[in-house]
C-alpha cells in the first residue's frame, strides 16, 4: 500500500496563479501470493498471483472550477485545461512455471496472463480557455482599444476554446504469453 499527494503536478508561481496549478493524488494497493512447490528433485512448480489497484487523480487547485484565463506576459489563472483527471486502474496477473529435470535435459514451460482495466475521465478544456495576447500589425489607434481592456493593455481577446462531449474512458487490455524451453546438459 502506498499513498502520495503532490501539489506541484502542474507547477504554479510567478505569473501563474495557484488556481492554474494541479495536484496529483495517488493511492496504490497491491496483493500477491506465490507458491514454490518442490515435489521432488525432478519437478518444481512456481505459481504466482497478483492483484493491484491504483486510484490516480489529477485535480485542479481552482476551487471555483472556472475557466482558464491566460494573459500572455501578465498572468494565468483558473482551472488548468487538462484537469481534473480521475482514473482507476486494476490489474490481475497469474503466472505458472513448471520445471522438469530429466537425465540430460531440463524442460521448462509456463504461462503468464494479465488483465488491466482503466476507468477515468479527461474533460479536456471543458471549463473553457480565454487567451489574451498582443496581436502584431495593429495600428496605433487600436493600441488605445487594447489599453482600455480590463487587462491593462496586455492584449486583445485572441481565442476562446471549450471542449464538449463524452469525457469517459473505460477499457481493458489482456496479455497472454506462454513458453516452452528445453535445455540439454
Amino acid at each position: 500500500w502506498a499513498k502520495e499527494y503532490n501539489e506541484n503536478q502542474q507547477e504554479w508561481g510567478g505569473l501563474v496563479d495557484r488556481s492554474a496549478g494541479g495536484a496529483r493524488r495517488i493511492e496504490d494497493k497491491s496483493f500477491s501470493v506465490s507458491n514454490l512447490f518442490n515435489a521432488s528433485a525432478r519437478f518444481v512448480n512456481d505459481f504466482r498471483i497478483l492483484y493491484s489497484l491504483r486510484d490516480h487523480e489529477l485535480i485542479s487547485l481552482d476551487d471555483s472550477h472556472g475557466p482558464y484565463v491566460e494573459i500572455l506576459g501578465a498572468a494565468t489563472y483558473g482551472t488548468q485545461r487538462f484537469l481534473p483527471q480521475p482514473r482507476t486502474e486494476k490489474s490481475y496477473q497469474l503466472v505458472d512455471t513448471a520445471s522438469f529435470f530429466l537425465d540430460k535435459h531440463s524442460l521448462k514451460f509456463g504461462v503468464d496472463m494479465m488483465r488491466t482495466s482503466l476507468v477515468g475521465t479527461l474533460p479536456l478544456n471543458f471549463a473553457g480557455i480565454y487567451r489574451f495576447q498582443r496581436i502584431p500589425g495593429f495600428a496605433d489607434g487600436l493600441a488605445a482599444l487594447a489599453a482600455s481592456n480590463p487587462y491593462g493593455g496586455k492584449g486583445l481577446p485572441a481565442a476562446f476554446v471549450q471542449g464538449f462531449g463524452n469525457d469517459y474512458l473505460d477499457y481493458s487490455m489482456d496479455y497472454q504469453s506462454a513458453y516452452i524451453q528445453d535445455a540439454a546438459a
Side-chain angles (χ1 to χ4, degrees):
W1 177 79
K3 197 171 188 177
E4 171 191 343
Y5 181 78
N6 178 347
E7 196 173 278
N8 210 18
Q9 175 66 28
Q10 294 290 331
E11 295 182 4
W12 55 275
L15 298 178
V16 179
D17 183 63
R18 181 181 183 276
S19 66
R24 176 179 62 224
R25 184 180 303 144
I26 297 176
E27 187 170 0
D28 289 316
K29 299 172 189 165
S30 296
F31 178 76
S32 70
V33 175
S34 67
N35 181 38
L36 183 61
F37 179 67
N38 193 356
S40 69
R42 295 187 172 263
F43 175 71
V44 176
N45 190 71
D46 182 12
F47 174 80
R48 290 175 277 159
I49 191 165
L50 166 78
Y51 169 76
S52 69
L53 171 68
R54 169 172 266 199
D55 286 319
H56 184 196
E57 187 176 16
L58 301 176
I59 56 176
S60 175
L61 297 178
D62 179 20
D63 294 332
S64 73
H65 304 290
Y68 184 78
V69 177
E70 183 178 31
I71 307 161
L72 293 178
T76 301
Y77 60 91
T79 301
Q80 210 280 338
R81 67 191 192 110
F82 290 109
L83 302 179
Q85 285 186 45
R87 57 186 178 255
T88 300
E89 181 180 331
K90 294 180 185 177
S91 294
Y92 309 87
Q93 184 177 24
L94 172 78
V95 178
D96 193 16
T97 302
S99 300
F100 296 92
F101 303 100
L102 307 171
D103 292 331
K104 293 192 178 197
H105 287 273
S106 64
L107 180 64
K108 185 184 278 191
F109 61 91
V111 295
D112 186 349
M113 297 179 285
M114 184 172 184
R115 178 176 185 85
T116 300
S117 64
L118 180 68
V119 175
T121 64
L122 177 56
L124 183 60
N125 299 323
F126 274 33
I129 298 174
Y130 290 95
R131 181 165 288 139
F132 296 84
Q133 66 187 40
R134 292 195 186 279
I135 301 175
F138 275 87
D140 290 336
L142 289 178
L145 175 63
S148 69
N149 80 30
Y151 298 117
K154 293 297 182 183
L156 295 168
F160 174 74
V161 178
Q162 186 166 22
F164 298 94
N166 184 1
D167 65 342
Y168 186 70
L169 171 69
D170 184 357
Y171 75 91
S172 296
M173 298 287 290
D174 292 317
Y175 309 91
Q176 294 96 21
S177 63
Y179 73 95
I180 297 175
Q181 175 184 334
D182 182 16

